[in-house]
Amino acid sequence: MSGARWEHFAHGADIGVRGRGATREEAFEQCALALTAVITDPAGVGRDVRVELAVQAAQDDLLLLEFLNMLVYEMAVRRWLCARCEVAIAGAPGGRLTAVAWGERVDVARHQPAVEVKGATLTELAVTRDAGGRWRAQCVVDV
C-alpha cells in the first residue's frame, strides 16, 4: 500500500473512523480497519473466515456509509471481526462497491471487545481527495 493508514478521531460519546489511501478503495479499506479497531486491535484478528460484501450508492460518501453499515451487520450476525478487506469500486461518483473481507469469529477472552459498534452515521461523513490526489474517507460510528 502507498502510505495507506487508518485512525480514530474524537466525537462526543461516539468515535470517528478515518481511512486514508492513494485510491478511494484504499481509503475505504483503511476505514474498515478503523471500524474493527474501535472494537479490538485488528492485528490480533485472524483471517480464516472470508465474507463477500456488495453495496451501491449514488455518491461516494453514501457508498462509504452503506459499506461500513454492511460490515457492521456482517460482524454482528456472524459474531465475526474483520482483519483485512479488499475493496473494488466501479463508477464515480458513488457506484457499486464489492469487497472481500477476511477475519475470524469473536473470541471474547482473546479479542477483549471494548464496545459494540451499532452503526455508521451521517455525522462528519465525507469522502474527499486532497490537492496531492490522496483520498480520505471518514464518518462517526455509534457505539
Side-chain angles (χ1 to χ4, degrees), residues 4-16:
R5 64 186 172 96
W6 63 265
E7 62 193 20
H8 293 144
F9 60 93
H11 185 273
D14 293 320
I15 299 171

Side-chain angles (χ1 to χ4, degrees), residues 17-131:
V17 294
R18 181 179 294 136
R20 298 180 191 271
T23 65
R24 219 174 14 154
E25 290 83 354
E26 276 187 356
F28 278 47
E29 290 165 2
Q30 293 301 304
C31 211
L33 288 180
L35 178 71
T36 298
V38 170
I39 302 163
T40 192
D41 179 2
V45 178
R47 300 177 179 186
D48 60 341
V49 178
R50 174 187 161 124
V51 175
E52 295 184 16
L53 309 165
V55 295
Q56 62 184 52
Q59 298 169 206
D60 287 343
D61 57 352
L62 296 178
L63 190 62
L64 176 66
L65 185 75
E66 292 292 331
F67 169 59
L68 292 178
N69 277 325
M70 178 61 73
L71 202 51
V72 167
Y73 171 81
E74 291 294 338
M75 287 197 289
V77 169
R78 295 173 186 269
R79 298 192 39 76
W80 167 85
L81 294 165
C82 176
R84 179 173 167 256
C85 193
E86 286 182 9
V87 171
I89 303 172
R96 178 168 172 75
L97 179 150
T98 55
V100 177
W102 291 268
E104 72 175 330
R105 288 189 53 85
V106 175
D107 177 335
V108 174
R110 190 164 50 82
H111 296 125
Q112 299 181 349
V115 296
E116 177 183 356
V117 176
K118 298 174 190 146
T121 72
L122 294 170
T123 305
E124 297 199 41
L125 177 63
V127 176
T128 59
R129 197 168 189 190
D130 67 22

